Amino acid sequence: MGDESMGFEYFVIAFVVGVPAVFGLAAIVLGIRRWQRVQRLHRDGHRITAVVDGNQREARSERSDVFLPVVRFHTREGRDVRTALDSSPSHREHLTDVPIEIVYDPADPQRAVPADSRGGGLFGAVAVGLFFLASSAGIWFLVTTTGFLD
């Protein structure tokens, strides 16, 4: 390969190897941070029974929508709160007027999770992150062993 194309080759390799690596690391870091927030909420939050008041629809892809339960509850301080539980997505609407145990942040009652949620998606985030890191390492291995840069 000519000397004039070496800069472009390194750019392509950095992009093809770097983007999956950065995405994988970001997935792992964000998954761990979410897990820590859920754990902190369970440790420091207030547990209470809320009532499912409705559904919040979110488009996740072209053909797939998910529904988040919207709950209503009164804090210990008497404040009336209505919030969506983003850790409980479902492809079907949640039944309304159903009681659900939640844990909420007393400083910000809009931040709430179901009382039975513990992981916050940690396993999935780490699995996705490791997949992208392994893909990145595999691409790097192929590039360096096949003589692509020679």
Side-chain angles (χ1 to χ4, degrees):
M1 296 189 184
D3 290 338
E4 66 278 352
S5 67
M6 285 304 281
F8 181 71
E9 290 169 359
Y10 282 110
F11 173 76
V12 169
I13 291 168
F15 185 77
V16 171
V17 172
V19 169
V22 168
F23 184 79
L25 287 173
I28 292 170
V29 168
L30 292 174
I32 290 170
R33 289 188 67 210
R34 177 156 177 77
W35 178 79
Q36 287 174 331
R37 281 194 304 267
V38 170
Q39 296 305 309
R40 190 171 28 256
L41 198 56
H42 278 281
R43 184 185 65 236
D44 301 333
H46 292 169
R47 188 180 183 116
I48 196 166
T49 302
V51 176
V52 177
D53 193 37
N55 290 276
Q56 179 178 316
R57 177 184 235 155
E58 283 190 0
R60 295 277 170 104
S61 68
E62 187 175 306
R63 290 183 235 147
S64 176
D65 289 345
V66 295
F67 299 92
L68 304 176
V70 177
V71 297
R72 162 179 99 260
F73 62 96
H74 298 286
T75 65
R76 292 182 180 173
E77 296 78 25
R79 183 174 165 198
D80 190 29
V81 178
R82 188 172 187 266
T83 189
L85 302 178
D86 65 354
S87 61
S88 297
S90 173
H91 291 286
R92 295 173 26 183
E93 290 189 35
H94 297 267
L95 298 174
T96 58
D97 298 323
V98 174
I100 180 173
E101 289 288 317
I102 66 165
V103 179
Y104 71 91
D105 183 350
D108 182 10
Q110 295 291 323
R111 292 185 47 216
V113 296
D116 61 357
S117 71
R118 292 287 175 194
L122 177 64
F123 177 75
V126 170
V128 167
L130 289 176
F131 171 78
F132 278 96
L133 285 174
S135 298
S136 180
I139 293 167
W140 176 253
F141 177 77
L142 287 174
V143 166
T144 57
T145 59
T146 59
F148 184 76
L149 296 175
D150 294 338

